[in-house]
Amino acid sequence: MALYIGFDSSTQSLTAVVIEIAGRERRIVLERSLPFDESLPQYRTHHGVLSSEDGRTVVAPTVMWADALDRMMATLTSSGIDPAEVKAISGAGQQHGSVYFTAAGVDALGRIDPERPLATQTEAMLSRAVSPVWLDCSTTAECRTLASAVGGDAALAKLTGSRAYERFTAAQIRKFATNEPEAYAATGRVHLVSSFMGSLLAGGEAPLEPGDASGMNLMDLASRTWSRAAADATAPDLIRRLPPIKDSWTIAGELAPYWQRRYGFGRARIVAWTGDNPSSLIGLGLHAAGQLAISLGTSDTVFGPIAAPAHDPDGAGHVFGSPAGGYMALTCFANGSLARERVRDAYGLDWSRFSAALRRTPAGNGGALMLPWFVPEITPHVEDAGVRRRSLDDTDADRNVRAVVEGQAMAMRVHSRWIVDRARDIRATGGAAENDDLLQVIADVFNAPVVRLQTTNAAALGAALRAYHADRLAEGHPIGWPEAVAGFTDPPGEPIRPQAANVAVYEQLLPEYETFERGNVAWRAITG
Ligand code: XUL
């Protein structure tokens, strides 16, 4: 019997999924989540982040993630699993967020003292106390400079998989290097959330891998190496500050003595961490082009594997490396559960009353439409936050609930056509995937069955499965992805099927939605 741990260090929480594999016997043995706001109140985060008054600058206290990892290890080992049985560990991190180490801090990773808490030791390794995260949209000027230096947005998208994005790491590094040149000069390495967490576990620098590195606007997508042109356009002397990019199945090292001595683990292998979306691709068992997934988390994302890099004609989507090799396409919406929660709270509802409101209202909402841009939106690109309503009274709780869900589902359909025009089925994950009424709207808008897997923690499960896959390879017994994920990613129940009458309503409403959306967006066209 062998245990594998997968983590998901996401915006609002750290989640762990532990799987057990004994030949054909495979099961999830434990799932635990640690929400940052409630479990670590001393960091004073709200929804896991610290935001400026205007909401455009969004960071997280880097040390909070280290603290969460320490606590999660304590939780896991007191939950009945035998730490000595853990063979390999991997993880997923919220994408794009960056962590800044001094050169001495990188060396100190190899000397983490088991006698002292991890958080205080981590603090001393950093040249910057906070990490900019994916919700940040303060770097429009940096994006313009970066794009024009490499020949325009279309050229940057061709090179790196995405045009310049505010939340992507290059623009964030540029802002830091410009505004805090001394702290940038003191920076020895810039890591992502994923490789930072992997480095803490391995007690030494973990590499980046193509899945998460492609969320930086810095990696040449074709060669999977750093692009000198993009790096030089970002900040002085950046290339030497970037960790190496290695295959996603690279073993970063052995679990550091800190974890072995404190919690009784053995010499588990640490497998390179990836981004949360690439990890969910594995956790949902997606390895063939034409498959589509929807993740309903703090952000909502629509993604799927693709055979070769494609590009979103609207310039809103991304191409990332897939941790299984090859590529994946993704579109991200900032107003995911953030928007659903805002509507829920505005009308004093809880989730069950939110669902009841969905059931009481008809598909199509009598033509009412909402663009739920409570925070600046990524897709479509909207800088000025603000909810836009059409034929919708903002005092009508039921119809506003339906409008937020329908608005999100129609945006997902419109902005995922470039990935898959007609999906055979859709795999759903993330907290809100537990809600049948919400998934029904998605099934009807996409005219495709929606399936849910055993867990809605696909990113953490994907990490555990990646740990297993890489461990077999390291043992000299490589396995393919279908074998690696078997028993974990087969849909356990019936899908939620589209209802013909509702499908017809949305076929009519979709063009109206598109017109309404376009009328509210100053499109930042992709230029050559
Ligand atoms: C993807 C993105 C978000 C974060 C959320 O591009 O910005 O989905 O990965 O954790």
Side-chain angles (χ1 to χ4, degrees):
M1 190 201 63
L3 298 177
Y4 298 91
I5 303 179
F7 290 106
D8 177 18
S9 181
S10 71
T11 318
Q12 305 204 40
S13 56
L14 176 68
T15 298
V17 166
V18 184
I19 60 172
E20 181 182 273
I21 298 189
R24 295 269 127 222
E25 295 293 307
R26 295 149 167 244
R27 65 187 184 106
I28 294 175
V29 283
L30 203 64
E31 295 189 60
R32 288 284 183 278
S33 238
L34 193 138
F36 300 134
D37 294 0
E38 292 87 54
S39 305
L40 297 161
Q42 65 274 34
Y43 295 99
R44 299 171 187 278
T45 56
H46 186 55
H47 297 301
V49 298
L50 306 169
S51 305
S52 62
E53 198 116 304
D54 65 1
R56 307 186 78 78
T57 303
V58 186
V59 300
T62 311
V63 169
M64 176 180 77
W65 298 326
D67 212 343
L69 187 60
D70 217 354
R71 292 206 190 191
M72 181 57 92
M73 287 301 215
T75 305
L76 292 182
T77 48
S78 61
S79 301
I81 67 154
D82 179 357
E85 302 279 358
V86 175
K87 289 204 68 192
I89 304 175
S90 191
Q94 55 171 303
Q95 294 197 257
H96 319 297
S98 41
V99 172
Y100 299 77
F101 279 91
T102 60
V106 172
D107 294 340
L109 276 169
R111 299 188 303 270
I112 305 174
D113 177 2
E115 301 305 321
R116 295 189 298 132
L118 183 64
T120 43
Q121 299 186 69
T122 307
E123 204 167 4
M125 297 177 193
L126 305 175
S127 59
R128 187 180 185 183
V130 295
S131 292
V133 299
W134 67 274
L135 279 159
D136 187 285
C137 53
S138 67
T139 58
T140 305
E142 286 79 3
C143 286
R144 294 220 171 95
T145 313
L146 177 60
S148 63
V150 299
D153 267 323
L156 188 64
K158 192 153 182 270
L159 177 69
T160 68
S162 302
R163 67 165 168 78
Y165 271 96
E166 281 78 354
R167 71 192 192 286
F168 274 45
T169 325
Q172 295 296 337
I173 295 173
R174 184 171 177 81
K175 181 180 165 192
F176 176 57
T178 310
N179 293 357
E180 297 177 56
E182 279 165 23
Y184 177 72
T187 301
R189 274 289 204 233
V190 182
H191 273 274
L192 292 178
V193 178
S194 56
S195 57
F196 164 66
M197 299 293 272
S199 299
L200 293 179
L201 288 177
E205 257 196 304
L208 294 189
E209 53 71 63
D212 216 14
S214 43
M216 300 174 81
N217 273 145
L218 287 170
M219 189 188 84
D220 178 330
L221 200 60
S223 66
R224 297 176 182 234
T225 56
W226 297 121
S227 155
R228 180 160 285 282
D232 287 350
T234 299
D237 218 1
L238 179 58
I239 289 260
R240 75 169 172 83
R241 292 181 163 89
L242 297 173
I245 303 171
K246 300 221 174 122
D247 288 333
S248 300
W249 40 89
T250 300
I251 307 294
E254 203 169 76
L255 189 64
Y258 179 87
W259 308 102
Q260 296 191 29
R261 299 224 194 105
R262 257 175 119 90
Y263 301 110
F265 286 94
R267 302 168 65 176
R269 291 190 169 107
I270 306 304
V271 178
W273 285 42
T274 186
D276 51 2
N277 294 294
S279 192
S280 295
L281 191 83
I282 304 294
L284 291 166
L286 299 186
H287 29 71
Q291 296 179 303
L292 198 65
I294 287 181
S295 168
L296 302 162
T298 306
S299 64
D300 286 345
T301 53
V302 190
F303 54 88
I306 49 173
H311 290 286
D312 174 8
D314 289 338
H318 315 295
V319 179
F320 294 148
S322 159
Y327 297 95
M328 64 180 284
L330 174 138
T331 303
C332 178
F333 303 88
N335 286 279
S337 64
L338 283 176
R340 292 184 288 274
E341 281 165 23
R342 292 277 189 102
V343 171
R344 180 200 62 186
D345 297 346
Y347 300 101
L349 307 174
D350 56 19
W351 287 125
S352 86
R353 284 156 74 200
F354 185 94
S355 280
L358 270 180
R359 286 193 296 275
R360 275 197 297 269
T361 43
N365 220 4
L369 289 175
M370 181 196 285
L371 299 171
W373 298 332
F374 290 89
V375 295
E377 182 49 67
I378 294 167
T379 311
H381 187 266
V382 178
E383 286 183 25
D384 297 316
V387 177
R388 280 74 154 172
R389 292 179 171 84
R390 188 194 83 170
S391 315
L392 178 62
D393 176 354
D394 66 1
T395 62
D396 185 338
D398 283 7
R399 290 179 86 212
N400 276 271
V401 166
R402 177 160 282 279
V404 65
V405 172
E406 288 188 344
Q408 292 177 325
M410 287 192 279
M412 287 188 228
R413 173 87 198 268
V414 168
H415 296 289
S416 66
R417 284 194 189 118
W418 70 282
I419 306 175
V420 183
D421 189 26
R422 282 295 316 273
R424 231 177 321 129
D425 61 34
I426 293 168
R427 298 192 164 205
T429 185
E434 280 166 24
N435 186 322
D436 283 6
D437 301 294
L438 194 148
L439 294 193
Q440 185 65 55
V441 175
I442 293 177
D444 294 338
V445 168
F446 278 78
N447 190 13
V450 177
V451 293
R452 213 174 5 213
L453 309 188
Q454 290 169 52
T455 172
T456 47
N457 292 319
L461 174 62
L465 294 172
R466 291 184 54 250
Y468 168 51
H469 172 268
D471 184 59
R472 297 307 294 153
L473 184 65
E475 294 274 315
H477 302 292
I479 51 171
W481 284 105
E483 188 185 340
V485 305
F488 290 106
T489 61
D490 315 308
E494 279 297 299
I496 296 187
R497 295 186 195 285
Q499 294 177 3
N502 297 348
V503 170
V505 170
Y506 292 122
E507 289 297 334
Q508 284 221 317
L509 197 58
L510 262 171
E512 284 182 46
Y513 168 82
E514 279 191 83
T515 308
F516 183 51
E517 188 195 274
R518 239 181 265 124
N520 279 282
V521 172
W523 277 98
R524 199 168 93 194
I526 192 162
T527 50

